[in-house]
Amino acid sequence: MNRKERGICLIINNFNFEKSRQNGPQCTRLENRNGTEKDEKSLNEVFSRLGFRVEVKNDLDGNEILETVGSYSKQNFDNNDCFICCILSHGNTGLVYGTDGQGVAISDLTFCFRKCLCSSLNGKPKLFFIQACQGVQPQNCVPVESDACNASHVDNVTSNDLIPGEPDFLLGMATVLRCSAFRHPNEGSWYIQSLCSELSAHYHRGEDILSILTKVNEQLSKKCVSNKTQMPQPWTTLSRKLVFNLPASPVSHITPNDN
């Protein structure tokens, strides 16, 4: 990465799920996601420091998530090195939830950036980091909360369904399929806080993103509460090592609140 502006880091941060609770029993009550503001702040700080223009969208429903991510895939990235999308929400197998309780397939979001739809990112890394449960397998710990609900989910989803079969995609998931991911109501989620901590600690040493994600896995594998733990999982088609290095001058934060 050597361009003055590395690229855009889009953060979709869903906190308020009141709309889903008003829409009826689409799934077991989706509580507001206390602590997610800590994750947004940490992601904003670390990716701004790494030269990305950070843009934050708060409390999007399902259609708005699809429309927002789709609109970014139509932008021109000729002068950028990379695109990053971070989604902080409730979820289930292969899905993230909008604030209205509508499930959005992760594959629909990553597939927006295929070669045929976003040619200006051809040969450039497209990174997606998802903080959301991918199932309801019990892993409840105190005082953490679960980013899941008991909706029906698609049991035949596999890792191959989540990212295109093309080079240069990376999907960093907070948890393996069908399992829960945890978020502390005061300190933020296990995965995002570990990701930001490891990025901050190792980017200046020239370590590539997969090495950093391996350290995240190691850190969370040792984090046990009441004999419960959480195992993140990265899936990747990256064709080269991806190393974050500091730009000449950090890019300013941009944090619009569209809702």
Side-chain angles (χ1 to χ4, degrees):
M1 295 191 180
N2 52 24
R3 289 178 172 84
K4 181 178 180 181
E5 185 174 291
R6 300 296 190 251
I8 293 174
C9 173
L10 168 65
I11 302 174
I12 295 175
N13 181 22
N14 282 351
F15 162 75
N16 187 350
F17 281 80
E18 180 180 357
K19 189 186 299 185
S20 73
R21 300 192 291 271
Q22 294 174 345
N23 285 346
Q26 295 167 289
C27 57
T28 299
R29 183 179 177 87
L30 288 173
E31 299 291 346
N32 292 346
R33 300 183 59 257
N34 296 318
T36 192
E37 70 282 356
K38 300 289 187 180
D39 289 344
E40 177 193 313
K41 180 180 179 182
S42 296
L43 289 167
N44 200 329
E45 289 177 350
V46 70
F47 284 115
S48 293
R49 194 182 314 134
L50 292 173
F52 287 84
R53 188 169 83 246
V54 177
E55 301 186 2
V56 179
K57 309 294 183 180
N58 289 295
D59 292 335
L60 302 188
D61 64 27
N63 287 332
E64 289 170 339
I65 292 175
L66 281 170
E67 291 170 1
T68 297
V69 174
S71 70
Y72 277 82
S73 71
K74 295 178 175 63
Q75 295 189 23
N76 189 326
F77 295 94
D78 285 340
N79 295 321
N80 298 144
D81 292 310
C82 180
F83 173 77
I84 298 174
C85 178
C86 305
I87 300 180
L88 315 173
S89 193
H90 289 295
N92 214 316
T93 306
L95 304 173
V96 293
Y97 284 108
T99 54
D100 58 349
Q102 177 185 344
V104 180
I106 293 169
S107 60
D108 287 345
L109 305 178
T110 61
F111 277 49
C112 289
F113 291 85
R114 287 173 291 173
K115 291 179 180 180
C116 60
L117 298 177
C118 188
S119 59
S120 63
L121 279 174
N122 286 354
K124 300 176 183 179
K126 297 156 280 278
L127 313 183
F128 293 80
F129 297 104
I130 309 294
Q131 168 56 40
C133 281
Q134 287 301 293
V136 294
Q137 181 174 327
Q139 297 185 41
N140 293 335
C141 307
V142 177
V144 299
E145 300 174 355
S146 174
D147 271 337
C149 75
N150 290 324
S152 61
H153 57 281
V154 182
D155 284 321
N156 60 353
V157 173
T158 69
S159 60
N160 292 332
D161 299 321
L162 298 180
I163 56 177
E166 298 181 350
D168 302 314
F169 280 84
L170 182 144
L171 176 62
M173 301 289 290
T175 183
V176 297
L177 289 176
R178 298 173 184 83
C179 291
S180 298
F182 297 114
R183 165 181 39 82
H184 193 286
N186 297 319
E187 299 174 5
S189 67
W190 290 8
Y191 176 66
I192 295 298
Q193 292 303 312
S194 178
L195 172 65
C196 293
S197 173
E198 294 298 332
L199 277 169
S200 297
H202 296 287
Y203 71 82
H204 60 281
R205 301 177 185 175
E207 295 203 37
D208 67 282
I209 186 63
L210 291 181
S211 296
I212 290 173
L213 289 175
T214 300
K215 295 180 187 299
V216 172
N217 283 4
E218 179 186 17
Q219 184 179 116
L220 264 66
S221 70
K222 298 175 180 178
K223 189 177 179 71
C224 295
V225 178
S226 300
N227 295 319
K228 309 293 183 182
T229 189
Q230 174 185 325
M231 198 68 244
Q233 184 169 12
W235 289 302
T236 176
T237 61
L238 291 178
S239 57
R240 290 172 288 174
K241 285 188 175 183
L242 170 59
V243 178
F244 292 111
N245 54 310
L246 283 177
S249 58
V251 176
S252 300
H253 300 223
I254 299 178
T255 57
N257 185 345
D258 290 347
N259 288 270

